[in-house]
Amino acid sequence: MAEIIPRNASVAIVGAGDYIGAAIARRFAREGYIVFMGRRNGEKLEPLKAEIEAAGGRAVACTLDAREEDQLTAFINQAEDAAPLEVAIFNIGANVNFPLLETTSRVFRKVWELACFAGFLTAREAARVMLPRGHGSIFFTGATASLRGGSGYAAFASAKFGNRAVAQTAARELGSKGIHVAHLIIDAGVDTEWVRQRMADAGALAGRKLMSPDSVAEAYWQLHRQPDDAWTFETEIRPSTEPW
């Protein structure tokens, strides 16, 4: 394994879950960034933190409810205080499926807070610290539901639509000021035991590839490396066998 060369820069991952968020943390840690990882139950990040540190990287595990403005602001500022914040990634999923008549107002509001409002807070607070330097990347994890609403996805799709609109607005406002904002649509199942079992139960796994979290993380790294005369705002990624 190549030696990790430390950078004077940090990355903040809002929604550092077990799969995509964890893979993003590992990828940027390998590039020498101090990786700040936030999720609702911060203690669940301790094994990932230990893994990154054992490989020579640097990581900080944080308990974070991204719907709470004060907590989100403190999380971004903590990363900035450790080293200049270069990348902020919003990776909260909040995927639920309920028929329209069974979608309560509480569910609808909670999903919007998680998948849209928290994304707005992430972009705003990251931009506050990046703009004085005129440099940085703010990336959003989207989904198929960011582009179309499906049966049972009134709450989730509307929140992801809204998050995409936040990303578009931020990109238009911040791009000329040196901040690369991008929205990445993951149009496939991610390779986890739960997804494999669900697809197998539905008879949909045969002949289908699932998406590796490491492949998604690599897509984020390549977005961050783009020169500013050829920035991508939105990209869709899917396995070669995925129907679309």
Side-chain angles (χ1 to χ4, degrees):
M1 182 178 294
E3 179 185 0
I4 294 175
I5 301 174
R7 302 178 188 234
N8 182 33
S10 66
V11 175
I13 303 171
V14 177
D18 296 331
Y19 303 106
I20 291 175
I24 292 170
R26 294 187 192 100
R27 185 67 183 90
F28 279 86
R30 288 205 308 271
E31 299 297 333
Y33 291 89
I34 306 175
V35 179
F36 280 76
M37 308 175 298
R39 65 183 291 177
R40 182 74 64 87
N41 298 311
E43 65 275 8
K44 291 184 177 180
L45 290 165
E46 290 302 325
L48 176 60
K49 178 178 183 292
E51 176 190 342
I52 289 172
E53 291 176 343
R58 297 171 295 167
V60 179
C62 302
T63 295
L64 171 67
D65 184 343
R67 299 170 299 173
E68 297 295 330
E69 187 170 3
D70 290 347
Q71 290 188 35
L72 195 287
T73 300
F75 177 69
I76 294 295
N77 288 340
Q78 185 181 358
E80 170 71 11
D81 290 344
L85 182 66
E86 190 168 308
V87 185
I89 295 174
F90 180 73
N91 184 58
I92 292 179
N95 189 346
V96 298
N97 183 291
F98 293 104
L100 184 66
L101 298 185
E102 297 175 19
T103 302
T104 65
S105 58
R106 181 179 181 275
V107 165
F108 191 94
R109 186 177 296 110
K110 181 178 180 180
V111 172
W112 173 81
E113 288 177 343
L114 285 168
C116 184
F117 178 63
F120 154 72
L121 292 177
T122 300
R124 188 190 69 188
E125 294 308 306
R128 285 193 199 279
V129 300
M130 291 176 179
L131 280 171
R133 292 187 292 273
H135 176 70
S137 297
I138 302 172
F139 298 151
F140 298 81
T141 300
T144 308
S146 302
L147 299 177
R148 64 178 185 267
S151 177
Y153 291 105
F156 182 60
S158 60
K160 298 303 278 187
F161 266 62
N163 192 47
R164 183 176 184 235
V166 170
Q168 287 179 338
T169 300
R172 290 185 167 99
E173 287 189 20
L174 302 175
S176 63
K177 298 173 183 177
I179 311 300
H180 183 190
V181 180
H183 182 250
L184 192 149
I185 295 173
I186 300 173
D187 186 30
V190 177
D191 195 355
T192 67
E193 185 60 36
W194 180 79
V195 169
R196 281 187 171 275
Q197 188 60 55
R198 188 181 67 170
M199 292 182 68
D201 291 345
L205 190 57
R208 295 271 291 278
K209 290 183 180 179
L210 294 176
M211 187 176 292
S212 163
D214 290 340
S215 297
V216 179
E218 186 62 29
Y220 273 113
W221 172 245
Q222 295 301 328
L223 278 173
H224 179 55
R225 294 183 64 217
Q226 287 181 335
D228 64 2
D229 62 344
W231 275 351
T232 294
F233 164 66
E234 188 162 75
T235 185
E236 301 178 36
I237 59 174
R238 59 182 65 84
S240 58
T241 59
E242 186 72 14
W244 59 290

